[in-house]
Structure formats: C-alpha cells, structure tokens
C-alpha cells in the first residue's frame, strides 16, 4: 500500500538526508482536502524547523519523506492519515482524526 506521494519541485545535489542527520527545513503544512494551511515556517514569528531525521522526532510520513530528500531540494509530500497524526488528529492545529496531510518542504541544511 502506497502511503505517500512525492513530487519534486526543485532537485539538488547537496548532501542526502540520512537517518540521524540534523536537518533544517522550510515547511508549509496543509490538510490535503482543500489544501488548508495549518503551519508555515515562513509566517511572521516562525523560523526554519530543525530536527533529527529518521528517529521519530516528527510524524512518520514527514520523517520517511524527508529521508528521500537532499540539501537544496524542494518537494511536496502527501501522506495518508495513519502516517500523519492518526486517529487523534491534532486539535491545536484543527487537524481532524485520520486527515491526509500535504507538506511543502525545502531542505535548507543537512548535517551528518
């Protein structure tokens, strides 16, 4: 069963994101239905998001999708609800249970 779809907007040849890499991204998160935004690191008061890839610090679909990217790449990743916030949703961001999510990601930096 395919759980996500990835569309690359800009390819790049920078360092690849690997399990354990520290990754800094610009990100826009949307509900796939209607593409309603719930988070954007470019909004006032926000900043690029940094996390350790492949170790469960972020939702599974985001983590797994980022592991297919490299520094400088921009992509749109769409995932099924079970790879997002699952049956609990994320009420603070108005994400309903089992919602499919779409993230526009730009990998700014990858550190081993």
């Amino acid at each position: 069963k395919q759980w996500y779809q990835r569309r690359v907007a800009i390819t790049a040849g920078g360092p690849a994101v690997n399990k354990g890499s520290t990754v800094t991204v610009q990100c826009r998160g949307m509900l796939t239905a209607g593409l309603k935004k719930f988070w954007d690191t470019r909004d006032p008061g926000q900043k690029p998001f940094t996390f350790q890839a492949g170790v469960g610090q972020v939702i599974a679909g985001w983590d797994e999708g980022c592991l297919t990217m490299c520094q400088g790449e921009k992509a749109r990743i769409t995932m099924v609800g079970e790879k997002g916030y699952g049956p609990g949703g994320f009420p603070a961001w108005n994400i309903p249970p089992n919602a499919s999510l779409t993230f526009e990601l730009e990998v700014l930096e990858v550190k081993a």
Side-chain angles (χ1 to χ4, degrees):
K1 174 180 169 181
Q2 184 174 354
W3 61 266
Y4 82 101
Q5 177 181 27
R6 177 174 167 255
R7 293 183 185 195
V8 177
I10 294 176
T11 57
V17 176
N18 294 304
K19 185 175 181 177
S21 297
T22 299
V23 184
T24 301
V25 297
Q26 290 284 16
C27 176
R28 180 177 188 176
M30 300 165 284
L31 298 174
T32 302
L35 295 179
K36 182 180 177 189
K37 178 181 81 169
F38 57 82
W39 178 48
D40 194 328
T41 59
R42 291 181 176 94
D43 283 348
Q46 297 290 316
K47 61 183 181 178
F49 182 71
T50 300
F51 68 101
Q52 192 174 9
V55 297
Q57 289 185 350
V58 294
I59 58 175
W62 212 56
D63 217 5
E64 294 168 26
C66 283
L67 289 171
T68 68
M69 298 179 71
C70 64
Q71 186 171 304
E73 185 174 340
K74 291 183 182 181
R76 177 181 274 200
I77 297 172
T78 300
M79 67 196 67
V80 297
E82 66 193 52
K83 291 290 186 170
Y85 292 100
F90 193 49
W93 285 355
N94 295 314
I95 298 173
N98 299 312
S100 293
L101 304 174
T102 297
F103 289 93
E104 292 175 348
L105 298 166
E106 177 183 4
V107 178
L108 302 176
E109 184 177 43
V110 177
K111 292 181 183 176

